[in-house]
Amino acid sequence: MLRFKRLASTYEQAKILRKYPIGGIIHGYEVRRVLPVPELRLTAVDLYHQQTGAEHIHIDRNDANNIFSIAFKTNPPNATGVPHILEHTTLCGSEKYPVHDPFFKMLNKSLANFMNAMTGQDYTFFPFATTNVKDFANLRDVYLDATLNPLLKREDFNQEGWRLEYSDIENQKSDIRFKGVVYNEMKGQVSNPDYYFWSQFQQTIYPSLNNSGGDPKKITDLMYEDLVDFQRKNYHPSNSKTFTYGTFSLEDTLKRLNKEFVLFGKRNSKIGKLMPIELKEDVMVTKKGQTDPMLPSEKQFKSSLTWICGTPEDHYETFLLKILGNLLMDGQSSIMYKKLIESGLGHEFSVNSGAESNTSVNMFTVGVQGIENPTSLKHMVQTIFEEVLATPFDKTKIEAIIQQIELSKKDQKPDFGLQILYSIIPGWTNNIDPFNGLLFDETLNRFRNDLEARGDNLFYDIIKKYIYKKPTLQFTMEGSSTFSSELENEEKNRLQKKIQTLDSSDKNIIFERGKILNEKQNKIEDLSCLPSLKLEDIPRQGQKYPIEMNNESIMARITDTNGISYIRGKKTLNNQIPLELYPYIPLFVDALTSLGTKDEPFSEIENKIKLYTGGISANYSVTSDPKTLEPKFNFLFSGWALNSKTDKIVEFWEKLLLRTDFQSNSENLKVLIRMLASSNVSSVSDSGHVFARGYACAHFSETNAINESLQGIEQLQLIGKLANILDDPEKFQTEVIDKMVQLQEIIIEHNPQDLQFFITTDTTTQVEKVSSELDKFKEQFAKANNRRTVNGSETQNYPLIENKKPTLLNFSFQTHHTALSKPTNIPFINKDGAALQILSSVLSSKHLHKEIREKNGAYGAGAKYDAINGSFNYFSYRDPNPLQSIAVYKKSFGIQSEDLNDAKLRLFQEVDSPLSRRGEGIWNFDHGINDEMRQSRREHLLDVTMNDIDRVTDQYLNGQTGYEVVVGPILENKTVAPQWNIVNVEQ
């Protein structure tokens, strides 16, 4: 048998080499290398365009989700954000597709499950993914023409980058303001404390990178001519890296690329690597930043220590550095966690902590946030490294890391190709061999052999070579209560300086430019030049994922899982939880995988979980019944492992769910609360529109009202409150520990017959094996049953937010987020929901994008119908004019019949997006939505007519009360009491 496998392997490699002959020429491209990677079921092909020097990587893999990308090395010359603004502007029209914003318009003419453009630190790339071969060719043409032949009109620079514009474009007596999509995007980024710390750290250690996204203070210095010049220098085939993945013909893509590239000559000048500062001695830098309102006043410092550790060109050493980072900092058993976080020195690791290899050098960083005295960090870290060098590494933890790496390659994800692209682009654009990261088994085998031969010295040598007693950068950020107001004043002064330089002629030009841009944005264009799929390209029959009922409590999905079993469990909480305990459930489920038992700390359990499984988790869900819209509240737990090790999943469930001890692990519970509190503001800054929408929907939906208490503003307030009582033993006992124990008695020790399971695996035999293991687990659950009577509140009568006024959730951000939500009160199976989904898609692409993003300068806006919970929602994010956006939501818009087809194409990008094996059939278990319901919904979506749109608009939206919520700072004389309900979230 072994000999047969070797012969088969040799045959397959010969077959691949015949398909991609080394030295062969395919449409102007020379095949330079071919790398079979059997452990990842792929073959990588390295090609070189002879005329221009462009490089291309193709990943040949049996995956229907095909990917294309074109990337450019784009060293930012300054902090004006020119690479970022060019990324936006290059997609605003090209020679072949001279329409306004073809990128966004293609979202309505494609079935791509992923379309984007991204600016990295010193590179820019434009990827998409689709399963449709015609769609692939269409989008490839649009992307190539956009990047190599962009129109780069001044109006597009003004819209996407920045501009001076009258607040009322029809009134020259109104105020002049800064506007621009990227400008407001980056103002929103500055509002995120984690991003701001990371960006200022990056500019300190790597000033040559400049901030490719753009510093709002500098963006307004960028001139249109600078943008055009930057494009000419950088967006050239000689500076490009193209990438394809999947099953579609490589030859077709190379033919198309060659057709485009032969119009260009070869540039010999290479864009060089950017390097960080040279650390010849210790460097200390402190900057001001935003305070974290969830942390005590004396803990308003974030500080980190960074060492430069060689370059990513040494792939193996880079791999070892990342393993070292994992050993030192990952999980509760790691020494850095114990000494820096568990000890209370800091509340959480800083966002830049760990090993990083995304630039021309490797960096290793140890940092914390919520530290009282930053000067103590260096001494503590130095002491930790001394202890590390004197103590053997835990061999079990090393083996657990190896097992996690091995399992990750077997776990099949739908975005596998995109993950490969993301992993190679940063290094590839800096001339690091993209094949390095694909040498999976080779790297791992070398590591195993070296570990056997050299033991701990493998890591000690790296520490001594780069870290221990070596020069370091200590970067500290001190929270300042005046930070936000100083940013606002800086912007006002910068704007005033610009205005003071304007004469009447300049102001007339600004006024006319504003009108010209507005006319362009309002212009009805002929889009016939854009390639498009047809409605007939959407199959009427959707994919089915048959489910087997092994017994009344176990559902199973049998599919190709590559030897892995995924197991999920749930237990209903409907009518079981007292009202006052609802907000404590998120802390409870987090604690189950953070504390440990009376006899075993979680740090020891965690290493075993990683050694034997792919992961164990506990969670909750609140969703609406697809037939009645009544809330369904469940406690969830899950795990996955190799088929041979599923008994370990059940073993860990029994340990964590039934034997977690809150009293004896109270100190770890305090650490968990501090960590949760320290990341609250950043989560709102990134997803403020989601918080706004959840708060608005909590006015009319019990499901959303429960979710608001569990993961909305109410939850942030609770965690902030609990963080303030950690040093009061009596309050901590009654307000936290006692409530955790009470929830454990209700959730874990009550009604074991409510347990249900879902198994995803590859054979009937394995289903039977896992079912037997689950039966034993249920017996353990039954033994823990306390048989108490529980007086829980009625889930379907959960109290709603009663305030009827518009609400401001007050955060000191630089921009706002908004939502306006309306109830429809119809369940998933109702046919009208399909028409409302189509309507939301039309409004997003045809109206809200133009009115709020293009005209108003917000980073994003749209409408979304929540088909599960029955609500129609408008939203905007990183929005400079939130009240203007809410006014737009209330306007009526004309919809044309041709808009429906575009909207259906856009919707089915999500409906038919590729699934992971573990995701197949899960709607049935999570929501009670079976294949028949999904197929019915599919047909309803395809059959929506203009009459349906008009009818649901009148029936569910026109005249219906909407609930308005804005997240961000108070707008003077506008969002004020008593007209507005002001919720001060920050303490």
Side-chain angles (χ1 to χ4, degrees), residues 39-40 319 322-323 326 398-411 440-441 443-444 447-448 610 613-614 640:
E39 64 268 28
L40 298 178
F319 172 82
K322 291 178 179 180
I323 297 292
N326 196 310
I398 295 175
E399 188 58 35
I401 293 170
I402 294 172
Q403 289 302 312
Q404 290 297 301
I405 295 172
E406 293 274 16
L407 269 176
S408 69
K409 77 179 181 186
K410 293 182 72 69
D411 184 28
F440 199 92
D441 278 1
T443 303
L444 212 52
F447 175 58
R448 284 186 181 279
K610 291 178 179 177
T613 79
W640 63 283

PDB file of all heavy atoms in Angstrom, residues 39-40 319 322-323 326 398-411 440-441 443-444 447-448 610 613-614 640:
ATOM      1  N   GLU A  39      -0.263  18.472   1.588  1.00  0.00           N
ATOM      2  CA  GLU A  39      -0.936  18.594   2.887  1.00  0.00           C
ATOM      3  C   GLU A  39      -2.021  19.667   2.884  1.00  0.00           C
ATOM      4  O   GLU A  39      -2.929  19.664   3.711  1.00  0.00           O
ATOM      5  CB  GLU A  39       0.086  18.869   4.006  1.00  0.00           C
ATOM      6  CG  GLU A  39       0.830  20.190   3.899  1.00  0.00           C
ATOM      7  CD  GLU A  39       2.148  20.047   3.135  1.00  0.00           C
ATOM      8  OE1 GLU A  39       2.252  19.148   2.265  1.00  0.00           O
ATOM      9  OE2 GLU A  39       3.061  20.842   3.408  1.00  0.00           O
ATOM     10  N   LEU A  40      -1.928  20.609   1.943  1.00  0.00           N
ATOM     11  CA  LEU A  40      -2.960  21.638   1.800  1.00  0.00           C
ATOM     12  C   LEU A  40      -3.810  21.426   0.548  1.00  0.00           C
ATOM     13  O   LEU A  40      -4.628  22.275   0.200  1.00  0.00           O
ATOM     14  CB  LEU A  40      -2.321  23.036   1.759  1.00  0.00           C
ATOM     15  CG  LEU A  40      -1.545  23.459   3.011  1.00  0.00           C
ATOM     16  CD1 LEU A  40      -0.928  24.846   2.825  1.00  0.00           C
ATOM     17  CD2 LEU A  40      -2.436  23.433   4.241  1.00  0.00           C
ATOM     18  N   PHE A 319       9.186  31.946  11.907  1.00  0.00           N
ATOM     19  CA  PHE A 319       8.285  30.935  12.442  1.00  0.00           C
ATOM     20  C   PHE A 319       8.581  30.673  13.916  1.00  0.00           C
ATOM     21  O   PHE A 319       7.670  30.616  14.758  1.00  0.00           O
ATOM     22  CB  PHE A 319       8.420  29.646  11.618  1.00  0.00           C
ATOM     23  CG  PHE A 319       7.692  28.463  12.178  1.00  0.00           C
ATOM     24  CD1 PHE A 319       6.337  28.293  11.948  1.00  0.00           C
ATOM     25  CD2 PHE A 319       8.369  27.505  12.934  1.00  0.00           C
ATOM     26  CE1 PHE A 319       5.661  27.188  12.468  1.00  0.00           C
ATOM     27  CE2 PHE A 319       7.706  26.402  13.446  1.00  0.00           C
ATOM     28  CZ  PHE A 319       6.348  26.247  13.214  1.00  0.00           C
ATOM     29  N   LYS A 322       7.351  33.436  16.181  1.00  0.00           N
ATOM     30  CA  LYS A 322       5.902  33.395  16.423  1.00  0.00           C
ATOM     31  C   LYS A 322       5.543  32.291  17.416  1.00  0.00           C
ATOM     32  O   LYS A 322       4.647  32.476  18.252  1.00  0.00           O
ATOM     33  CB  LYS A 322       5.171  33.212  15.099  1.00  0.00           C
ATOM     34  CG  LYS A 322       5.257  34.447  14.196  1.00  0.00           C
ATOM     35  CD  LYS A 322       4.565  34.246  12.867  1.00  0.00           C
ATOM     36  CE  LYS A 322       4.670  35.521  12.028  1.00  0.00           C
ATOM     37  NZ  LYS A 322       4.009  35.370  10.700  1.00  0.00           N
ATOM     38  N   ILE A 323       6.236  31.153  17.333  1.00  0.00           N
ATOM     39  CA  ILE A 323       6.016  30.102  18.320  1.00  0.00           C
ATOM     40  C   ILE A 323       6.416  30.592  19.709  1.00  0.00           C
ATOM     41  O   ILE A 323       5.715  30.355  20.701  1.00  0.00           O
ATOM     42  CB  ILE A 323       6.814  28.826  17.959  1.00  0.00           C
ATOM     43  CG1 ILE A 323       6.344  28.245  16.625  1.00  0.00           C
ATOM     44  CG2 ILE A 323       6.690  27.795  19.072  1.00  0.00           C
ATOM     45  CD1 ILE A 323       4.952  27.686  16.636  1.00  0.00           C
ATOM     46  N   ASN A 326       3.797  32.786  21.100  1.00  0.00           N
ATOM     47  CA  ASN A 326       2.682  31.971  21.578  1.00  0.00           C
ATOM     48  C   ASN A 326       2.991  31.381  22.950  1.00  0.00           C
ATOM     49  O   ASN A 326       2.158  31.412  23.867  1.00  0.00           O
ATOM     50  CB  ASN A 326       2.410  30.863  20.551  1.00  0.00           C
ATOM     51  CG  ASN A 326       1.067  30.206  20.729  1.00  0.00           C
ATOM     52  OD1 ASN A 326       0.709  29.805  21.821  1.00  0.00           O
ATOM     53  ND2 ASN A 326       0.324  30.089  19.637  1.00  0.00           N
ATOM     54  N   ILE A 398       4.136  23.167  24.094  1.00  0.00           N
ATOM     55  CA  ILE A 398       4.737  23.170  22.761  1.00  0.00           C
ATOM     56  C   ILE A 398       4.005  22.189  21.853  1.00  0.00           C
ATOM     57  O   ILE A 398       3.672  22.497  20.706  1.00  0.00           O
ATOM     58  CB  ILE A 398       6.241  22.819  22.837  1.00  0.00           C
ATOM     59  CG1 ILE A 398       7.006  23.900  23.599  1.00  0.00           C
ATOM     60  CG2 ILE A 398       6.813  22.637  21.436  1.00  0.00           C
ATOM     61  CD1 ILE A 398       8.473  23.586  23.835  1.00  0.00           C
ATOM     62  N   GLU A 399       3.742  21.008  22.385  1.00  0.00           N
ATOM     63  CA  GLU A 399       3.030  19.995  21.592  1.00  0.00           C
ATOM     64  C   GLU A 399       1.614  20.473  21.275  1.00  0.00           C
ATOM     65  O   GLU A 399       1.084  20.223  20.189  1.00  0.00           O
ATOM     66  CB  GLU A 399       2.987  18.664  22.345  1.00  0.00           C
ATOM     67  CG  GLU A 399       2.445  17.504  21.531  1.00  0.00           C
ATOM     68  CD  GLU A 399       3.221  17.231  20.248  1.00  0.00           C
ATOM     69  OE1 GLU A 399       4.460  17.417  20.246  1.00  0.00           O
ATOM     70  OE2 GLU A 399       2.591  16.866  19.237  1.00  0.00           O
ATOM     71  N   ALA A 400       0.987  21.186  22.197  1.00  0.00           N
ATOM     72  CA  ALA A 400      -0.358  21.721  21.959  1.00  0.00           C
ATOM     73  C   ALA A 400      -0.346  22.745  20.824  1.00  0.00           C
ATOM     74  O   ALA A 400      -1.267  22.774  19.991  1.00  0.00           O
ATOM     75  CB  ALA A 400      -0.907  22.362  23.237  1.00  0.00           C
ATOM     76  N   ILE A 401       0.705  23.568  20.777  1.00  0.00           N
ATOM     77  CA  ILE A 401       0.825  24.542  19.687  1.00  0.00           C
ATOM     78  C   ILE A 401       0.956  23.821  18.357  1.00  0.00           C
ATOM     79  O   ILE A 401       0.305  24.194  17.358  1.00  0.00           O
ATOM     80  CB  ILE A 401       2.034  25.471  19.934  1.00  0.00           C
ATOM     81  CG1 ILE A 401       1.784  26.364  21.151  1.00  0.00           C
ATOM     82  CG2 ILE A 401       2.320  26.328  18.691  1.00  0.00           C
ATOM     83  CD1 ILE A 401       3.009  27.141  21.599  1.00  0.00           C
ATOM     84  N   ILE A 402       1.784  22.775  18.317  1.00  0.00           N
ATOM     85  CA  ILE A 402       1.959  21.999  17.085  1.00  0.00           C
ATOM     86  C   ILE A 402       0.622  21.382  16.657  1.00  0.00           C
ATOM     87  O   ILE A 402       0.259  21.403  15.480  1.00  0.00           O
ATOM     88  CB  ILE A 402       3.020  20.899  17.279  1.00  0.00           C
ATOM     89  CG1 ILE A 402       4.406  21.523  17.505  1.00  0.00           C
ATOM     90  CG2 ILE A 402       3.050  19.957  16.078  1.00  0.00           C
ATOM     91  CD1 ILE A 402       5.480  20.531  17.885  1.00  0.00           C
ATOM     92  N   GLN A 403      -0.114  20.853  17.637  1.00  0.00           N
ATOM     93  CA  GLN A 403      -1.404  20.232  17.320  1.00  0.00           C
ATOM     94  C   GLN A 403      -2.389  21.260  16.761  1.00  0.00           C
ATOM     95  O   GLN A 403      -3.168  20.959  15.848  1.00  0.00           O
ATOM     96  CB  GLN A 403      -1.987  19.574  18.575  1.00  0.00           C
ATOM     97  CG  GLN A 403      -1.253  18.326  19.017  1.00  0.00           C
ATOM     98  CD  GLN A 403      -1.226  17.260  17.922  1.00  0.00           C
ATOM     99  OE1 GLN A 403      -2.241  16.947  17.309  1.00  0.00           O
ATOM    100  NE2 GLN A 403      -0.042  16.705  17.676  1.00  0.00           N
ATOM    101  N   GLN A 404      -2.370  22.455  17.295  1.00  0.00           N
ATOM    102  CA  GLN A 404      -3.259  23.506  16.781  1.00  0.00           C
ATOM    103  C   GLN A 404      -2.906  23.869  15.337  1.00  0.00           C
ATOM    104  O   GLN A 404      -3.788  24.100  14.507  1.00  0.00           O
ATOM    105  CB  GLN A 404      -3.185  24.751  17.671  1.00  0.00           C
ATOM    106  CG  GLN A 404      -3.800  24.579  19.042  1.00  0.00           C
ATOM    107  CD  GLN A 404      -5.290  24.302  18.986  1.00  0.00           C
ATOM    108  OE1 GLN A 404      -6.067  25.095  18.459  1.00  0.00           O
ATOM    109  NE2 GLN A 404      -5.696  23.157  19.513  1.00  0.00           N
ATOM    110  N   ILE A 405      -1.614  23.911  15.031  1.00  0.00           N
ATOM    111  CA  ILE A 405      -1.177  24.194  13.662  1.00  0.00           C
ATOM    112  C   ILE A 405      -1.632  23.067  12.740  1.00  0.00           C
ATOM    113  O   ILE A 405      -2.150  23.311  11.636  1.00  0.00           O
ATOM    114  CB  ILE A 405       0.357  24.365  13.605  1.00  0.00           C
ATOM    115  CG1 ILE A 405       0.787  25.604  14.400  1.00  0.00           C
ATOM    116  CG2 ILE A 405       0.818  24.494  12.153  1.00  0.00           C
ATOM    117  CD1 ILE A 405       2.292  25.733  14.561  1.00  0.00           C
ATOM    118  N   GLU A 406      -1.444  21.829  13.172  1.00  0.00           N
ATOM    119  CA  GLU A 406      -1.843  20.670  12.369  1.00  0.00           C
ATOM    120  C   GLU A 406      -3.353  20.669  12.133  1.00  0.00           C
ATOM    121  O   GLU A 406      -3.824  20.420  11.015  1.00  0.00           O
ATOM    122  CB  GLU A 406      -1.427  19.370  13.079  1.00  0.00           C
ATOM    123  CG  GLU A 406       0.067  19.160  13.168  1.00  0.00           C
ATOM    124  CD  GLU A 406       0.630  18.472  11.922  1.00  0.00           C
ATOM    125  OE1 GLU A 406      -0.075  18.439  10.906  1.00  0.00           O
ATOM    126  OE2 GLU A 406       1.766  17.980  11.986  1.00  0.00           O
ATOM    127  N   LEU A 407      -4.127  20.931  13.164  1.00  0.00           N
ATOM    128  CA  LEU A 407      -5.579  20.934  13.034  1.00  0.00           C
ATOM    129  C   LEU A 407      -6.067  22.043  12.115  1.00  0.00           C
ATOM    130  O   LEU A 407      -7.034  21.870  11.375  1.00  0.00           O
ATOM    131  CB  LEU A 407      -6.223  21.093  14.416  1.00  0.00           C
ATOM    132  CG  LEU A 407      -6.544  19.812  15.191  1.00  0.00           C
ATOM    133  CD1 LEU A 407      -7.070  20.157  16.571  1.00  0.00           C
ATOM    134  CD2 LEU A 407      -7.562  18.969  14.444  1.00  0.00           C
ATOM    135  N   SER A 408      -5.384  23.189  12.166  1.00  0.00           N
ATOM    136  CA  SER A 408      -5.820  24.330  11.355  1.00  0.00           C
ATOM    137  C   SER A 408      -5.771  24.024   9.870  1.00  0.00           C
ATOM    138  O   SER A 408      -6.574  24.535   9.092  1.00  0.00           O
ATOM    139  CB  SER A 408      -4.970  25.569  11.663  1.00  0.00           C
ATOM    140  OG  SER A 408      -3.648  25.400  11.185  1.00  0.00           O
ATOM    141  N   LYS A 409      -4.841  23.175   9.449  1.00  0.00           N
ATOM    142  CA  LYS A 409      -4.747  22.866   8.024  1.00  0.00           C
ATOM    143  C   LYS A 409      -5.825  21.872   7.594  1.00  0.00           C
ATOM    144  O   LYS A 409      -6.168  21.790   6.418  1.00  0.00           O
ATOM    145  CB  LYS A 409      -3.350  22.332   7.675  1.00  0.00           C
ATOM    146  CG  LYS A 409      -3.089  20.897   8.061  1.00  0.00           C
ATOM    147  CD  LYS A 409      -1.684  20.456   7.648  1.00  0.00           C
ATOM    148  CE  LYS A 409      -1.423  19.000   8.026  1.00  0.00           C
ATOM    149  NZ  LYS A 409      -0.054  18.572   7.772  1.00  0.00           N
ATOM    150  N   LYS A 410      -6.399  21.129   8.556  1.00  0.00           N
ATOM    151  CA  LYS A 410      -7.460  20.178   8.230  1.00  0.00           C
ATOM    152  C   LYS A 410      -8.843  20.833   8.276  1.00  0.00           C
ATOM    153  O   LYS A 410      -9.777  20.358   7.640  1.00  0.00           O
ATOM    154  CB  LYS A 410      -7.434  18.995   9.207  1.00  0.00           C
ATOM    155  CG  LYS A 410      -6.204  18.107   9.078  1.00  0.00           C
ATOM    156  CD  LYS A 410      -6.256  16.933  10.022  1.00  0.00           C
ATOM    157  CE  LYS A 410      -7.271  15.893   9.594  1.00  0.00           C
ATOM    158  NZ  LYS A 410      -6.906  15.177   8.378  1.00  0.00           N
ATOM    159  N   ASP A 411      -8.960  21.913   9.042  1.00  0.00           N
ATOM    160  CA  ASP A 411     -10.242  22.609   9.192  1.00  0.00           C
ATOM    161  C   ASP A 411     -10.541  23.396   7.917  1.00  0.00           C
ATOM    162  O   ASP A 411      -9.864  24.376   7.609  1.00  0.00           O
ATOM    163  CB  ASP A 411     -10.176  23.533  10.401  1.00  0.00           C
ATOM    164  CG  ASP A 411     -11.494  24.229  10.681  1.00  0.00           C
ATOM    165  OD1 ASP A 411     -12.552  23.663  10.346  1.00  0.00           O
ATOM    166  OD2 ASP A 411     -11.459  25.349  11.224  1.00  0.00           O
ATOM    167  N   PHE A 440       4.375  24.090   4.506  1.00  0.00           N
ATOM    168  CA  PHE A 440       3.752  23.785   5.787  1.00  0.00           C
ATOM    169  C   PHE A 440       4.436  22.632   6.502  1.00  0.00           C
ATOM    170  O   PHE A 440       4.996  22.785   7.592  1.00  0.00           O
ATOM    171  CB  PHE A 440       2.265  23.461   5.525  1.00  0.00           C
ATOM    172  CG  PHE A 440       1.397  23.563   6.720  1.00  0.00           C
ATOM    173  CD1 PHE A 440       0.737  24.743   7.014  1.00  0.00           C
ATOM    174  CD2 PHE A 440       1.222  22.483   7.566  1.00  0.00           C
ATOM    175  CE1 PHE A 440      -0.087  24.836   8.123  1.00  0.00           C
ATOM    176  CE2 PHE A 440       0.411  22.567   8.668  1.00  0.00           C
ATOM    177  CZ  PHE A 440      -0.250  23.757   8.945  1.00  0.00           C
ATOM    178  N   ASP A 441       4.396  21.466   5.894  1.00  0.00           N
ATOM    179  CA  ASP A 441       4.970  20.283   6.547  1.00  0.00           C
ATOM    180  C   ASP A 441       6.481  20.380   6.679  1.00  0.00           C
ATOM    181  O   ASP A 441       7.066  19.927   7.674  1.00  0.00           O
ATOM    182  CB  ASP A 441       4.600  19.021   5.753  1.00  0.00           C
ATOM    183  CG  ASP A 441       3.202  18.524   6.100  1.00  0.00           C
ATOM    184  OD1 ASP A 441       2.547  19.186   6.927  1.00  0.00           O
ATOM    185  OD2 ASP A 441       2.764  17.503   5.537  1.00  0.00           O
ATOM    186  N   THR A 443       8.337  23.029   7.143  1.00  0.00           N
ATOM    187  CA  THR A 443       8.670  23.888   8.280  1.00  0.00           C
ATOM    188  C   THR A 443       8.392  23.168   9.597  1.00  0.00           C
ATOM    189  O   THR A 443       9.208  23.200  10.529  1.00  0.00           O
ATOM    190  CB  THR A 443       7.857  25.196   8.218  1.00  0.00           C
ATOM    191  OG1 THR A 443       8.116  25.857   6.981  1.00  0.00           O
ATOM    192  CG2 THR A 443       8.216  26.112   9.365  1.00  0.00           C
ATOM    193  N   LEU A 444       7.251  22.510   9.680  1.00  0.00           N
ATOM    194  CA  LEU A 444       6.867  21.829  10.913  1.00  0.00           C
ATOM    195  C   LEU A 444       7.793  20.651  11.211  1.00  0.00           C
ATOM    196  O   LEU A 444       8.179  20.423  12.369  1.00  0.00           O
ATOM    197  CB  LEU A 444       5.413  21.353  10.803  1.00  0.00           C
ATOM    198  CG  LEU A 444       4.591  21.323  12.089  1.00  0.00           C
ATOM    199  CD1 LEU A 444       4.661  22.655  12.818  1.00  0.00           C
ATOM    200  CD2 LEU A 444       3.137  20.974  11.787  1.00  0.00           C
ATOM    201  N   PHE A 447      11.013  21.947  12.515  1.00  0.00           N
ATOM    202  CA  PHE A 447      10.847  22.381  13.898  1.00  0.00           C
ATOM    203  C   PHE A 447      10.871  21.188  14.856  1.00  0.00           C
ATOM    204  O   PHE A 447      11.543  21.223  15.892  1.00  0.00           O
ATOM    205  CB  PHE A 447       9.531  23.152  14.030  1.00  0.00           C
ATOM    206  CG  PHE A 447       9.183  23.541  15.432  1.00  0.00           C
ATOM    207  CD1 PHE A 447      10.043  24.328  16.184  1.00  0.00           C
ATOM    208  CD2 PHE A 447       7.998  23.114  16.018  1.00  0.00           C
ATOM    209  CE1 PHE A 447       9.726  24.692  17.489  1.00  0.00           C
ATOM    210  CE2 PHE A 447       7.670  23.463  17.316  1.00  0.00           C
ATOM    211  CZ  PHE A 447       8.536  24.253  18.061  1.00  0.00           C
ATOM    212  N   ARG A 448      10.150  20.116  14.502  1.00  0.00           N
ATOM    213  CA  ARG A 448      10.135  18.936  15.354  1.00  0.00           C
ATOM    214  C   ARG A 448      11.545  18.351  15.520  1.00  0.00           C
ATOM    215  O   ARG A 448      11.960  17.987  16.627  1.00  0.00           O
ATOM    216  CB  ARG A 448       9.207  17.877  14.767  1.00  0.00           C
ATOM    217  CG  ARG A 448       7.714  18.153  14.959  1.00  0.00           C
ATOM    218  CD  ARG A 448       6.900  16.970  14.458  1.00  0.00           C
ATOM    219  NE  ARG A 448       5.475  17.150  14.580  1.00  0.00           N
ATOM    220  CZ  ARG A 448       4.773  16.959  15.691  1.00  0.00           C
ATOM    221  NH1 ARG A 448       5.409  16.606  16.805  1.00  0.00           N
ATOM    222  NH2 ARG A 448       3.466  17.122  15.705  1.00  0.00           N
ATOM    223  N   LYS A 610      -6.090  22.500  24.031  1.00  0.00           N
ATOM    224  CA  LYS A 610      -5.345  22.754  22.800  1.00  0.00           C
ATOM    225  C   LYS A 610      -4.603  21.507  22.318  1.00  0.00           C
ATOM    226  O   LYS A 610      -4.376  21.345  21.122  1.00  0.00           O
ATOM    227  CB  LYS A 610      -4.356  23.902  23.011  1.00  0.00           C
ATOM    228  CG  LYS A 610      -5.036  25.256  23.190  1.00  0.00           C
ATOM    229  CD  LYS A 610      -4.026  26.354  23.449  1.00  0.00           C
ATOM    230  CE  LYS A 610      -4.720  27.699  23.611  1.00  0.00           C
ATOM    231  NZ  LYS A 610      -3.768  28.788  23.930  1.00  0.00           N
ATOM    232  N   THR A 613      -7.973  19.043  21.198  1.00  0.00           N
ATOM    233  CA  THR A 613      -9.109  19.526  20.396  1.00  0.00           C
ATOM    234  C   THR A 613      -8.737  20.785  19.610  1.00  0.00           C
ATOM    235  O   THR A 613      -7.680  21.384  19.832  1.00  0.00           O
ATOM    236  CB  THR A 613     -10.327  19.865  21.290  1.00  0.00           C
ATOM    237  OG1 THR A 613     -10.130  21.155  21.915  1.00  0.00           O
ATOM    238  CG2 THR A 613     -10.550  18.820  22.359  1.00  0.00           C
ATOM    239  N   GLY A 614      -9.639  21.181  18.728  1.00  0.00           N
ATOM    240  CA  GLY A 614      -9.471  22.443  18.013  1.00  0.00           C
ATOM    241  C   GLY A 614      -9.994  23.620  18.797  1.00  0.00           C
ATOM    242  O   GLY A 614      -9.749  24.775  18.444  1.00  0.00           O
ATOM    243  N   TRP A 640     -14.621  21.023  18.729  1.00  0.00           N
ATOM    244  CA  TRP A 640     -14.283  20.241  17.544  1.00  0.00           C
ATOM    245  C   TRP A 640     -12.921  19.579  17.727  1.00  0.00           C
ATOM    246  O   TRP A 640     -12.070  20.089  18.461  1.00  0.00           O
ATOM    247  CB  TRP A 640     -14.336  21.078  16.272  1.00  0.00           C
ATOM    248  CG  TRP A 640     -13.377  22.231  16.168  1.00  0.00           C
ATOM    249  CD1 TRP A 640     -13.489  23.439  16.790  1.00  0.00           C
ATOM    250  CD2 TRP A 640     -12.181  22.290  15.385  1.00  0.00           C
ATOM    251  NE1 TRP A 640     -12.427  24.263  16.440  1.00  0.00           N
ATOM    252  CE2 TRP A 640     -11.612  23.580  15.571  1.00  0.00           C
ATOM    253  CE3 TRP A 640     -11.537  21.396  14.534  1.00  0.00           C
ATOM    254  CZ2 TRP A 640     -10.435  23.977  14.949  1.00  0.00           C
ATOM    255  CZ3 TRP A 640     -10.365  21.797  13.909  1.00  0.00           C
ATOM    256  CH2 TRP A 640      -9.830  23.082  14.116  1.00  0.00           C
TER     257      TRP A 640
END
